[in-house]
């Protein structure tokens, strides 16, 4: 069973930064995909940023391009999401997700098999 565990959420004022972390046992598969998704109350879950381990390709939602960066630390088997210039509209529950396969639609939640419990990010104006 793949375990996915997020950490690092919290509350911050607009313009601030947060870094989310995620550890998952699927990290050891070279063709894995991992990523970050978010869901605000009353809204659908949306892909924020994902990475394909096979070639390091990264994918970002248009709304976060230039502000968020997905990265990984192979030595620590950890995935990160650095979030800068946060806006109130970034407020949501953030989930880390993983799949041992290459996702054909990298930002679509249904491509991912394993999910963490979520971590809340709240940005105040």
């Amino acid at each position: 069973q793949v375990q996915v565990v997020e950490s690092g959420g919290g509350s911050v004022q607009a313009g601030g930064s947060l870094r989310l972390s995620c550890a998952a046992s699927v990290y050891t598969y070279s063709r894995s995909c991992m990523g970050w998704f978010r869901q605000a109350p009353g809204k659908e879950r949306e892909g924020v940023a994902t990475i394909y381990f096979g070639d390091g390709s990264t994918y970002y939602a248009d709304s976060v391009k230039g502000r968020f960066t997905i990265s990984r630390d192979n030595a620590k088997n950890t995935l990160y999401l650095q979030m800068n210039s946060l806006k109130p509209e970034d407020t949501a529950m953030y989930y880390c997700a993983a799949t041992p396969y290459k996702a054909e639609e990298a930002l679509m939640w249904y491509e991912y098999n394993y999910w963490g419990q979520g971590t809340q990010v709240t940005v105040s104006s």
Side-chain angles (χ1 to χ4, degrees):
Q1 182 68 23
V2 176
Q3 302 285 333
V4 180
V5 180
E6 311 104 333
S7 60
S11 297
V12 65
Q13 289 192 329
S17 298
L18 284 173
R19 189 177 77 162
L20 306 183
S21 301
C22 174
S25 55
V26 74
Y27 202 98
T28 60
Y29 294 103
S30 62
R31 292 178 59 83
S32 300
C33 286
M34 288 186 69
W36 295 94
F37 295 76
R38 66 186 181 187
Q39 189 166 19
K43 294 188 177 181
E44 294 187 356
R45 188 169 297 190
E46 63 171 342
V48 176
T50 63
I51 184 168
Y52 170 51
F53 289 1
D55 60 10
S57 297
T58 56
Y59 307 87
Y60 293 93
D62 289 342
S63 58
V64 306
K65 284 181 181 177
R67 300 188 298 122
F68 291 11
T69 303
I70 189 170
S71 63
R72 55 179 173 159
D73 185 328
N74 293 336
K76 296 182 179 180
N77 284 353
T78 301
L79 185 75
Y80 299 102
L81 184 68
Q82 179 66 43
M83 305 185 292
N84 298 329
S85 302
L86 283 161
K87 303 176 181 180
E89 50 263 45
D90 294 318
T91 295
M93 185 70 79
Y94 282 70
Y95 298 90
C96 180
T99 175
Y101 311 107
K102 182 179 181 180
E104 293 302 317
E105 297 179 274
L107 288 172
M108 300 309 296
W109 60 266
Y110 49 73
E111 293 275 2
Y112 295 80
N113 310 92
Y114 306 104
W115 293 82
Q117 78 286 355
T119 185
Q120 179 68 37
V121 172
T122 302
V123 184
S124 58
S125 57

